[in-house]
């Protein structure tokens, strides 16, 4: 009788072990599939962002060429930084001081971006 009990317990434990291994494999495969789908989705989003950036760069180049504006890289960076600081809420005086440029130069550059009586876009 004890032999039957021990034998049946061994058989039951073996069955439970097999079921556990199969279930673990199924769960890990499902998790891998979810990770793969997320990875593919992320890669597609990155590809779309790269394409958008490339389109913006081409649009920018077209606009600059159409306008006939010739700026050095330093001038482009300065103007980009000035506009960014202004849109983040910095005062014109603080921008001029930070960039070590005259107040008049900053005001002249920002004039097209400043709406009458409105605050900067934050």
């Amino acid at each position: 009788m004890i032999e039957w009990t021990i034998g049946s317990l061994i058989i039951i434990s073996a069955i439970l072990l097999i079921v556990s291994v199969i279930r673990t494999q199924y769960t890990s495969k499902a998790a891998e599939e979810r990770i793969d789908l997320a990875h593919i989705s992320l890669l597609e989003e990155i590809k779309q962002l790269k394409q958008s950036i490339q389109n913006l760069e081409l649009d920018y180049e077209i606009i600059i060429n159409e306008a006939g504006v010739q700026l050095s890289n330093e001038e482009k960076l300065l103007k980009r930084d000035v506009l960014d600081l202004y849109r983040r809420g910095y005062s014109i005086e603080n921008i001029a001081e930070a960039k070590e440029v005259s107040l008049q130069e900053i005001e002249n550059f920002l004039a097209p971006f400043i709406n009458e009586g409105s605050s900067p876009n934050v």
Side-chain angles (χ1 to χ4, degrees):
M1 177 82 161
I2 293 178
E3 296 87 21
W4 287 99
T5 306
I6 293 175
S8 62
L9 287 175
I10 290 175
I11 292 173
I12 291 172
S13 65
I15 291 171
L16 289 175
L17 179 64
I18 292 170
V19 169
S20 175
V21 168
I22 292 172
R23 192 172 215 182
T24 302
Q25 287 177 346
Y26 174 75
T27 304
S28 67
K29 284 181 184 180
E32 284 179 30
E33 288 175 9
R34 286 193 306 270
I35 291 171
D36 287 345
L37 289 175
H39 184 254
I40 290 170
S41 175
L42 184 62
L43 288 176
E44 288 174 359
E45 287 181 34
I46 290 171
K47 181 180 175 183
Q48 289 173 352
L49 286 172
K50 284 182 179 179
Q51 184 64 44
S52 295
I53 290 170
Q54 183 180 13
N55 289 342
L56 286 172
E57 288 173 344
L58 292 173
D59 291 346
Y60 171 75
E61 193 173 329
I62 290 168
I63 290 170
I64 292 297
N65 286 333
E66 289 289 323
V69 176
Q70 297 297 323
L71 297 173
S72 69
N73 284 338
E74 293 82 19
E75 289 173 316
K76 288 178 193 176
L77 288 173
L78 173 66
K79 290 186 177 203
R80 183 185 311 143
D81 288 345
V82 167
L83 185 57
D84 178 52
L85 289 171
Y86 178 73
R87 288 194 172 161
R88 288 195 284 153
Y90 287 82
S91 70
I92 295 173
E93 294 81 12
N94 287 341
I95 295 171
E97 185 179 324
K99 292 299 174 182
E100 299 176 353
V101 178
S102 73
L103 185 63
Q104 186 63 39
E105 193 175 338
I106 299 295
E107 288 174 344
N108 289 341
F109 170 69
L110 289 176
F113 302 99
I114 299 173
N115 294 333
E116 294 282 330
S118 68
S119 61
N121 298 332
V122 181

